[in-house]
Amino acid sequence: MAVERMLPTPEAEDLIALTREIAAKELAPRAAGAERDAAFPREAFRVLGRAGLLGLPYPEDAGGGGQPYEVYLQVLEEIGAVWASVAVGVSVHTLSCFAPHSFGADALRGRLPDMLGGDLLGGYALSEAQAGSDAAALSTRAVRDGDVYRVTGTKMWITHGGEADFYVLFARTSDDGGRGISCFLVDGDQPGLTFGAPERKMGLTGSTTAQLHFDDAPVPADRRIGADGEGFPIALAALDSGRLGIAACAVGLAQGALDRAVAYAAEREQFGRPIIENQGLAFLLADMAAAVESARATYLDAARRKDRGLPFARQASIAKLVATDAAMRVTTDAVQVLGGYGYTRDFPVERYMREAKVMQIFEGTNQIQRMVIGRHLARAARG
Ligand SMILES: Cc1cc2nc3c(=O)[nH]c(=O)nc-3n(C[C@H](O)[C@H](O)[C@H](O)COP(=O)(O)OP(=O)(O)OC[C@H]3O[C@@H](n4cnc5c(N)ncnc54)[C@H](O)[C@@H]3O)c2cc1C
């Protein structure tokens, strides 16, 4: 069932219509097969890029779509309802363009049209084996050596690892904790950079996740984004926006599961009537719908604050927490609605359930979101 959206402009309505058409014709027929075969959907990103959907929230003069975040996120949600790996990929790519766009020198910003136009796909390389939730503990080193930084270390869990054309890399340039981290733009074919085998994951199998190994890799010094030692605030600012992307992906996934569950419940008969006519099951579906719609309202509220230039970090954490917890619950309940069939790979809801789980984990686990929200509350209480 198509979601009834309140969009701010006729242009936004056209964008949603275009996304639905691409989702139905190009994405939906390929999703199950690519996920089963763990095949990276590079062509899907090309299609979205050609349609102008890979740089939506960036200004037009930088090569982006000039759309409010509110619109970008609803496009993302539409993609997430059909193919979570691709929606997460669009979100990660958009996150990866944030640092070059917001903090890059002119020479780096010159590459933005290719990044935002979809010719180049991005990755965001912050996490390491021993630095996940505590990202400031990262140990990958970048040591200045004339015109280059020599980078050594291993990044872990990198979405699009080995597939991306560029990575936004966070590496240590001094031992001064979070203040000793710098940000770099690194090409996918950077000498000294190799990739681990893709992780064997529970879900999002079409979305490649791999380690990045840097072995004395000479990254040109003019590839640094922002000042030396100012990388960590850039990483955190990017994640504030990125979390909203994951919230939208999660709502899309939950909407997709709800749609499947309602359609099945209206058709499946037991005791001589469709199972949806049993109040016990209709209440389950009603709770699922309430979870999806309230999660959508939560991310839209945060996005509208961002679009108006208001602080939105607390609301972004709340949206990520609410939306991904809702997606986990709704996809699990969708399996319940389909009974034994829901537990098989013949129907997509078990895949949705596996895909929902990671959304509670990446871009800051939901415990970390609670920590962020709690800190905001404490700060407000202190006045
Ligand atoms: C499929 C996938 C894709 C990813 N893509 C990327 C990517 O593109 N780029 C990137 O940089 N990273 C990426 N990540 C990494 C992801 O962001 C981390 O996995 C996440 O931040 C958690 O880190 P961790 O796995 O080391 O868990 P840990 O930090 O070790 O946490 C383990 C558990 O402890 C809890 N915990 C930790 N600290 C606290 C605390 N202070 N209070 C309460 N609970 C706490 C956590 O919530 C969690 O439940 C990806 C991960 C996955 C699984």
Side-chain angles (χ1 to χ4, degrees):
M1 194 180 70
V3 174
E4 286 173 34
R5 300 187 182 280
M6 286 195 298
L7 294 156
T9 58
E11 195 188 355
E13 284 167 13
D14 290 346
L15 274 172
I16 292 292
L18 173 68
T19 308
R20 284 181 179 160
E21 192 184 331
I22 293 174
K25 287 192 185 146
E26 308 276 351
L27 304 184
R30 297 186 174 87
E35 292 299 318
R36 184 194 56 227
D37 301 340
F40 185 68
R42 184 62 204 240
E43 185 53 27
F45 293 111
R46 284 199 193 95
V47 169
L48 294 171
R50 280 197 292 268
L53 301 180
L54 279 191
L56 280 179
Y58 291 97
E60 283 169 309
D61 61 10
Q67 291 300 309
Y69 230 70
E70 171 191 354
V71 173
Y72 155 63
L73 292 180
Q74 293 187 78
V75 166
L76 204 51
E77 189 201 316
E78 292 283 342
I79 299 170
V82 172
W83 196 348
S85 282
V86 173
V88 166
V90 173
S91 181
V92 167
H93 173 78
T94 305
L95 165 80
S96 307
C97 296
F98 175 85
H101 171 261
S102 304
F103 300 95
D106 286 348
L108 293 185
R109 287 173 57 84
R111 290 167 53 112
L112 280 168
D114 287 340
M115 296 174 173
L116 300 174
D119 287 338
L120 303 178
L121 189 66
Y124 178 87
L126 177 65
S127 302
E128 299 180 0
Q130 302 306 328
S133 299
D134 185 10
L138 66 83
S139 63
T140 294
R141 250 177 207 285
V143 178
R144 184 74 186 247
D145 179 12
D147 289 346
V148 299
Y149 281 86
R150 298 205 162 268
V151 180
T152 301
T154 295
K155 291 288 166 183
M156 184 145 186
W157 305 118
I158 307 310
T159 300
H160 303 163
E163 302 284 353
D165 301 292
F166 68 92
Y167 299 92
V168 170
L169 166 73
F170 297 91
R172 186 160 289 294
T173 44
S174 88
D175 286 322
D176 193 8
R179 285 184 293 276
I181 293 169
S182 301
C183 177
F184 301 89
L185 186 68
V186 175
D187 287 335
D189 59 0
Q190 160 72 46
L193 168 61
T194 55
F195 304 95
E199 302 293 342
R200 296 167 59 237
K201 307 195 299 289
M202 174 195 284
L204 283 191
T205 37
S207 169
T208 305
T209 312
Q211 293 187 355
L212 272 53
H213 303 295
F214 292 90
D215 182 10
D216 206 24
V219 175
D222 60 9
R223 289 304 192 86
R224 198 187 67 219
I225 299 174
D228 199 290
E230 287 186 4
F232 201 57
I234 295 176
L236 296 185
L239 286 174
D240 279 344
S241 304
R243 276 167 191 161
L244 284 177
I246 297 305
C249 294
V251 172
L253 182 64
Q255 181 71 53
L258 172 65
D259 290 346
R260 296 276 181 165
V262 170
Y264 185 88
E267 196 170 317
R268 170 76 172 169
E269 291 193 4
Q270 289 292 285
F271 302 101
R273 60 180 184 167
I275 58 173
I276 200 169
E277 287 177 21
N278 297 294
Q279 193 182 58
L281 199 81
F283 276 15
L284 185 61
L285 292 165
D287 284 346
M288 291 161 71
V292 173
E293 296 208 10
S294 50
R296 179 177 298 120
T298 310
Y299 87 61
L300 282 174
D301 173 64
R304 286 171 185 150
R305 291 181 64 85
K306 176 174 162 56
D307 288 332
R308 279 171 208 180
L310 297 169
F312 68 97
R314 177 170 63 89
Q315 288 81 0
S317 280
I318 289 175
K320 200 268 183 184
L321 172 66
V322 167
T324 59
D325 280 359
M328 192 69 250
R329 204 166 55 248
V330 168
T331 54
T332 305
D333 287 344
V335 172
Q336 190 70 21
V337 171
L338 269 72
Y341 298 96
Y343 196 64
T344 70
R345 302 224 163 167
D346 299 333
F347 290 82
V349 286
E350 62 80 30
R351 171 162 68 80
Y352 294 168
M353 183 178 159
R354 289 185 283 108
E355 290 171 342
K357 185 61 221 172
V358 76
M359 299 194 184
Q360 296 177 304
I361 295 172
F362 57 24
E363 298 217 10
T365 67
N366 283 5
Q367 283 77 25
I368 296 303
Q369 305 308 326
R370 289 180 173 92
M371 212 167 89
V372 172
I373 298 161
R375 277 185 192 150
H376 277 274
L377 296 176
R379 214 174 301 143
R382 282 196 302 269

